[in-house]
Amino acid sequence: MVAGRPEQATAAALVVVGAFQVALAAGAPWGRAAYGGTRAGVLPRHLRTISGLAALTYGGAAALILLDSGSPGARAQGFAALSLFMGVGAVVNGASRSPVERALWTPVTMATTVLAWRSRNRSAPA
């Protein structure tokens, strides 16, 4: 099965989140938009390291989606896990003290949750 539109949209959303994490890891002064918004400006080294690892994870997930790798059952399970992970992220971002996280990342993570779930439904074995 070739990656369809829901899968491509899921991968694109992961690339967006991953690019944000790359920017944080590289020292972009966007601390108010991440990790609860408790640190203005450039994040401290340990959070930049976490952002770098997160960027690799999001990028890897996007690549796996676009490569259409794995059996239908494994893909469905992967999309279900991704949907759960992003759903937790939506709740955490929605509860953040940071207005930027609430306004920007809550809808992005919620949309990614829905896209991943729709992709799961398309990938599930018949």
Side-chain angles (χ1 to χ4, degrees), residues 19-64:
F20 175 72
Q21 293 294 340
V22 166
L24 289 174
W30 300 338
R32 290 282 184 215
Y35 302 106
T38 58
R39 299 208 168 64
V42 176
L43 294 173
R45 183 179 209 163
H46 73 282
L47 291 178
R48 291 173 63 193
T49 300
I50 292 169
S51 285
L53 294 171
L56 289 173
T57 302
Y58 289 124
L64 287 173

Side-chain angles (χ1 to χ4, degrees), residues 10 64 97 109 113:
T10 303
L64 287 173
R97 293 181 184 173
T109 52
T113 300

Side-chain angles (χ1 to χ4, degrees), residues 75-92:
R75 288 178 60 77
Q77 289 177 347
F79 279 119
L82 177 61
S83 183
L84 176 64
F85 177 74
M86 296 308 288
V88 169
V91 170
V92 171

Side-chain angles (χ1 to χ4, degrees), residues 9-11 14 25 28 46 53 55 60 67-68 73 76 81 93 95 98 100 104 108-109 111 113 115 118 121-122 124:
T10 303
L14 292 173
H46 73 282
L53 294 171
L67 291 171
D68 200 34
N93 284 316
S98 166
V100 177
L104 177 64
V108 169
T109 52
T113 300
L115 289 166
R118 288 187 65 205
N121 290 338
R122 283 182 35 87

